[in-house]
């Protein structure tokens, strides 16, 4: 039996969500590894965008910054931030990957601060490009470890929109129609959103975890989708590519 | 236009396009030699209280020498565009150069982690803030560059980021849809590091432009640092490659390796060891105070700082990394 780490499971699960011929805006870390893995397996025609201007690079190794020169290695274009964000705003970017310090049942994310905003207990970087991507991309994906402190009923600050406070709220606020969170990939499960309520639910549970464990490690009620199965574990081929071609220096999978 | 909602955050700059036109009306169009030192450029063009913006992307093609010099000359009470800022923010926060900030991306160094010192500064309550996004600030610069009072976008709506910004949500008179209006941002002074410039300030750069082309056109005063000066004939032989024209530029400073410890596309990669050391040292405020004094406040100029960090020998290693040569770790 093949052994693999939790991070490897998360990257593989994320990669499988990316369809061939679509486009994805990624940051550094696990999302970038997922996009690279998808490109080297089932989605060779996946177009990768970096917010600072890199378009469709053939990534030689993991970038450390979304603006470093790896993001334009053998790319088709070295562009700028407004162009990339406007490509998203025009509707040409299918997926984006985000993270955050807190996430709520509607997939709203906080990466700004904990406590009072003016004099915070903890300050984080803020939106960066996250709010922009989550406003514009068709499907928002989140990769994050899961526990009850991070998965909270109400985030301290909505940095980045999920479904806000329920069905239709994005459109009422004026955000482009048809977008919103699609998957939340954690160390325990793949989570999705109920189309009727727009609330988070469990889609599949990673091998070695139980549904009860997934639900306990969450600060709000986390129902199961009608059919909850096991997240298919990484195949030997996926692991081989991930370890030898995507992240040979173990920047991400070594975490 | 029907106003739907107003962000409650402060607007630190005046978006009036006629005031901007009046400023640009009197700005020189003369072809004059603008080559000077970073020390002189900062003394003449960056004043206490100014709105400051730094080009590049945090630790990619940043004008490090200007950031250091602002600290050395004790600039303070500035307003900072916290746009894609990482190592530049680290330097300016350590020097307490600004006391107001438009936050889009601050205190982090992306995959490297968060800056403990910049975090302490932003948690202290000393800094007045508004929240924005990376695209939001890029749009604000673009509006100023276009000479219009605002530009619409479809981001930030429905969030606390909007609530703490100074943007306005309004109904678009054409479609009836709600859009966010981003007020023009014209920084008093900006600094951008480029690959090549001539003595007048015509600039070329390689790789991504981030928001620098908008920034160069939006800023009232512009300091250029460059890897190398080139003859004007080189610029005029291939005008397609010019991305910043000379009449936007106030000072040109030749600073070889001037994006260090950041990436300079096609030239050298970021010094990850140095950036790690910086982050690690910041954990202890006293130790970091000494570190920052030794490396920045007490050094004469950028070249002295670079020498302390390993000088040209270190740059050779980083060049090998940038170009993915096997020599990367060997020297």
């Amino acid at each position: 039996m093949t052994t693999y780490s939790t991070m490897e499971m998360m990257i593989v699960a994320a990669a499988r969500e990316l369809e061939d011929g679509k486009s994805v805006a990624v940051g550094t870390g696990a999302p970038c590894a997922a996009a690279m893995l998808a490109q080297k397996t089932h989605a060779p025609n996946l177009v990768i965008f970096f917010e600072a201007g890199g378009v469709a690079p053939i990534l030689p190794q993991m970038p450390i910054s979304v603006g470093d020169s790896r993001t334009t290695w053998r790319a088709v274009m070295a562009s700028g931030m407004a162009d990339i964000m406007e490509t998203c705003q025009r509707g040409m970017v299918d997926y984006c990957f985000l993270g955050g310090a807190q996430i709520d049942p509607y997939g709203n994310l906080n990466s700004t601060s904990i406590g009072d905003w003016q004099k915070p207990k903890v300050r984080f970087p803020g939106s960066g490009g996250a709010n922009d991507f989550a406003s514009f991309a068709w499907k928002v994906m989140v990769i994050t470890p899961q526990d009850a402190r991070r998965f909270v009923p109400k985030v301290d600050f909505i940095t980045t929109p999920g479904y806000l406070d329920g069905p239709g709220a994005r459109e009422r606020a004026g955000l482009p129609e048809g977008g919103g969170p699609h998957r939340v990939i954690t160390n325990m499960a793949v989570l999705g959103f109920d189309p009727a309520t727009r609330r988070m639910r469990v889609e599949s549970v990673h091998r070695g975890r139980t549904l009860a464990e997934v639900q306990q490690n969450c600060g709000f009620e986390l129902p199961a989708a009608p059919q909850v199965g096991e997240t298919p574990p990484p195949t030997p081929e996926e692991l081989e590519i991930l370890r030898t071609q995507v992240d040979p220096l173990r920047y991400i999978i070594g975490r | 236009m029907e106003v739907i909602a107003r962000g409650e955050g402060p607007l630190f700059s005046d978006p009036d396009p006629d005031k901007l036109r009046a400023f640009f009306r009197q700005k020189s169009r003369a072809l004059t030699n603008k080559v000077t030192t970073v020390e002189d450029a900062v003394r003449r063009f960056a004043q206490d209280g100014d709105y400051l913006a730094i080009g590049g992307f945090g630790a990619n093609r940043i004008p490090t020498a200007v950031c250091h010099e602002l600290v050395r000359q004790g600039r303070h009470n500035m307003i900072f565009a916290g746009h894609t800022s990482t190592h530049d923010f680290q330097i300016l926060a350590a020097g307490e150069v600004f006391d107001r900030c438009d936050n889009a991306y601050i205190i982090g160094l992306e995959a490297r982690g968060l800056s403990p010192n910049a975090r302490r500064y932003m948690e202290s309550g000393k800094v007045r803030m508004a929240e924005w996004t990376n695209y939001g600030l890029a749009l604000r610069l673009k509006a100023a560059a276009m000479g219009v009072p605002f530009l619409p976008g479809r981001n930030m709506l429905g969030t606390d980021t909007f609530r703490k910004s100074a943007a306005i949500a309004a109904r678009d008179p054409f479609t009836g849809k709600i859009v966010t209006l981003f007020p023009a941002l014209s920084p008093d002074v900006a600094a951008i590091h480029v690959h090549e410039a001539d003595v007048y300030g015509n600039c070329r750069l390689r790789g991504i432009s981030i928001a620098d082309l908008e920034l160069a056109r939006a800023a009232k005063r512009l300091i250029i640092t460059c890897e190398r000066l080139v003859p004007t004939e080189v610029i005029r032989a291939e005008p397609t490659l010019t991305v910043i024209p000379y009449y936007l530029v106030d000072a040109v400073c030749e600073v070889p390796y001037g994006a260090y410890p950041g990436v300079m596309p096609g030239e050298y990669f970021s010094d990850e060891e140095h950036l790690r050391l910086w982050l690690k040292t910041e954990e202890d405020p006293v130790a970091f105070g000494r570190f920052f004094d030794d490396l920045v406040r007490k050094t004469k100029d950028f070249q002295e700082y670079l020498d302390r960090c390993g000088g040209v020998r270190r740059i050779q290693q980083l060049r090998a990394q940038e170009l993915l040569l096997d020599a990367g770790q060997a020297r």
Side-chain angles (χ1 to χ4, degrees):
Chain A
M1 196 183 118
T2 324
T3 61
Y4 54 88
S5 71
T6 305
M7 180 55 86
E8 287 172 331
M9 178 72 255
M10 291 166 78
I11 293 168
V12 167
R16 288 175 185 157
E17 294 286 339
L18 304 172
E19 290 171 74
D20 195 24
K22 302 280 187 181
S23 54
V24 59
V26 299
T28 52
C32 190
M36 287 170 77
L37 178 61
Q39 214 174 36
K40 290 173 196 294
T41 52
H42 64 280
N45 302 303
L46 182 71
V47 185
I48 298 178
F49 288 95
F50 286 93
E51 70 174 87
V55 179
I58 297 171
L59 292 164
Q61 53 181 245
M62 208 65 76
I64 189 132
S65 158
V66 294
D68 81 31
S69 41
R70 303 300 182 242
T71 65
T72 51
W73 187 265
R74 300 185 65 201
V76 299
M77 181 167 63
S79 184
M81 170 164 287
D83 181 36
I84 300 300
M85 291 304 188
E86 285 153 13
T87 303
C88 296
Q89 191 166 241
R90 272 199 314 277
M92 286 202 79
V93 175
D94 298 292
Y95 309 99
C96 69
F97 277 107
L98 303 173
Q102 293 179 322
I103 185 167
D104 75 11
Y106 295 108
N108 300 305
L109 289 160
N110 175 13
S111 61
T112 300
S113 55
I114 304 285
D116 175 58
W117 170 77
Q118 183 60 45
K119 202 172 181 309
K121 203 163 106 217
V122 188
R123 174 73 209 195
F124 297 109
S127 161
N131 179 299
D132 309 318
F133 283 138
S135 298
F136 303 150
W138 290 105
K139 291 179 175 181
V140 177
M141 319 260 275
V142 177
I143 302 185
T144 178
Q146 183 185 338
D147 61 55
R149 276 178 46 223
R150 197 177 284 263
F151 284 59
V152 293
K154 197 173 178 325
V155 294
D156 285 28
F157 191 100
I158 300 181
T159 309
T160 296
Y163 290 108
L164 299 175
D165 60 4
R170 286 175 65 95
E171 289 77 10
R172 278 195 297 278
L175 291 170
E177 292 165 10
H182 175 59
R183 289 286 182 266
V184 179
I185 292 155
T186 80
N187 52 326
M188 299 180 182
V190 175
L191 312 173
F193 292 84
D194 184 324
T197 64
R198 296 303 197 192
R199 287 177 67 97
M200 207 183 288
R201 67 184 189 184
V202 184
E203 301 287 336
S204 70
V205 177
H206 301 340
R207 181 171 291 179
R209 302 285 187 176
T210 65
L211 179 60
E213 207 177 346
V214 175
Q215 290 169 326
Q216 278 155 19
N217 281 280
C218 183
F220 49 84
E221 197 194 337
L222 192 59
Q227 276 146 8
V228 176
E230 182 185 78
T231 315
T235 65
E237 192 212 357
E238 285 168 329
L239 288 172
E240 166 77 13
I241 293 172
L242 182 57
R243 290 169 185 173
T244 61
Q245 296 176 41
V246 172
D247 191 16
L249 300 175
R250 303 183 57 78
Y251 284 135
I252 311 300
I253 59 178
R255 280 182 195 171
Chain B
M1 276 169 104
E2 181 200 347
V3 170
I4 307 287
R6 281 175 193 275
E8 60 194 48
L11 185 58
F12 294 123
S13 57
D14 188 343
D16 185 336
D18 281 317
K19 289 184 186 159
L20 192 59
R21 279 174 58 84
F23 178 87
F24 281 124
R25 186 178 195 179
Q26 51 76 43
K27 185 158 178 163
S28 171
R29 288 86 157 137
L31 271 170
T32 51
N33 183 330
K34 296 165 191 166
V35 173
T36 186
T37 61
V38 172
E39 191 270 333
D40 177 62
V42 168
R43 191 170 302 288
R44 280 160 58 207
F45 299 115
Q47 309 306 328
D48 291 347
D50 276 356
Y51 196 114
L52 168 71
I54 296 293
F57 192 110
N60 307 289
R61 204 170 45 68
I62 47 167
T64 310
V66 172
C67 298
H68 286 185
E69 190 59 29
L70 288 161
V71 172
R72 254 183 234 118
Q73 292 190 21
R75 287 291 172 283
H76 58 276
N77 301 336
M78 295 186 96
I79 311 162
F80 186 58
H83 181 247
T84 67
S85 59
T86 72
H87 186 58
D88 47 348
F89 194 88
Q90 230 179 340
I91 298 166
L92 298 170
E96 303 203 357
V97 165
F98 59 88
D99 63 3
R100 285 155 288 171
C101 190
D102 279 322
N103 303 336
Y105 185 93
I106 58 166
I107 77 167
L109 276 92
E110 300 186 74
R112 307 172 186 98
L114 300 180
S115 154
N117 184 70
R119 196 168 176 172
R120 283 190 292 270
Y121 189 50
M122 294 309 289
E123 289 167 359
S124 70
K126 288 184 199 168
V127 182
R128 282 186 69 211
M129 313 178 288
E131 298 292 329
W132 300 90
T133 69
N134 277 350
Y135 180 52
L137 284 188
L139 262 182
R140 294 189 59 196
L141 295 171
K142 195 172 182 172
M146 289 171 68
V148 297
F150 66 86
L151 279 175
R154 304 188 73 192
N155 48 334
M156 297 211 318
L157 292 159
T159 63
D160 291 322
T161 307
F162 174 87
R163 193 166 57 81
K164 294 296 183 185
S165 78
I168 288 174
R171 198 171 297 284
D172 160 32
F174 294 101
T175 64
K177 291 184 191 288
I178 300 169
V179 292
T180 306
L181 308 183
F182 289 91
L185 168 58
S186 170
D188 296 305
V189 57
I192 298 175
H193 186 66
V194 301
H195 290 75
E196 294 169 342
D198 69 7
V199 297
Y200 309 116
N202 293 302
C203 301
R204 291 173 163 188
L205 58 83
R206 294 170 63 191
I208 54 173
S209 53
I210 309 135
D212 289 359
L213 309 189
E214 293 88 347
L215 175 58
R217 286 153 180 80
K220 296 188 184 72
R221 299 186 295 274
L222 179 57
I223 299 170
I224 292 293
T225 63
C226 63
E227 288 289 315
R228 62 192 79 84
L229 285 167
V230 297
T232 288
E233 288 68 33
V234 170
I235 299 287
R236 290 194 184 267
E238 199 131 21
T240 315
L241 297 180
T242 305
V243 291
I244 298 172
Y246 75 96
Y247 47 80
L248 301 173
V249 176
D250 295 275
V252 180
C253 314
E254 189 179 44
V255 185
Y257 318 119
Y260 178 90
V263 174
M264 192 65 184
E267 305 270 348
Y268 44 88
F269 200 67
S270 47
D271 189 341
E272 293 303 320
E273 279 173 42
H274 183 69
L275 290 170
R276 260 199 306 278
L277 175 67
W278 197 297
L279 283 176
K280 180 82 195 142
T281 311
E282 281 189 5
E283 287 170 13
D284 174 357
V286 177
F288 177 65
R290 281 197 303 270
F291 174 90
F292 190 68
D293 280 354
D294 287 347
L295 273 182
V296 178
R297 288 188 199 276
K298 290 180 185 162
T299 47
K300 183 162 86 30
D301 58 17
F302 180 80
Q303 292 312 324
E304 190 179 323
Y305 160 75
L306 185 61
D307 287 342
R308 286 185 188 213
C309 298
V312 173
R313 192 181 295 273
R314 182 68 184 139
I315 293 288
Q316 276 183 298
Q317 293 167 343
L318 300 173
R319 188 186 303 286
Q321 283 179 29
E322 170 66 7
L323 302 177
L324 297 174
L325 305 178
D326 290 338
Q329 302 300 326
R331 291 179 208 202

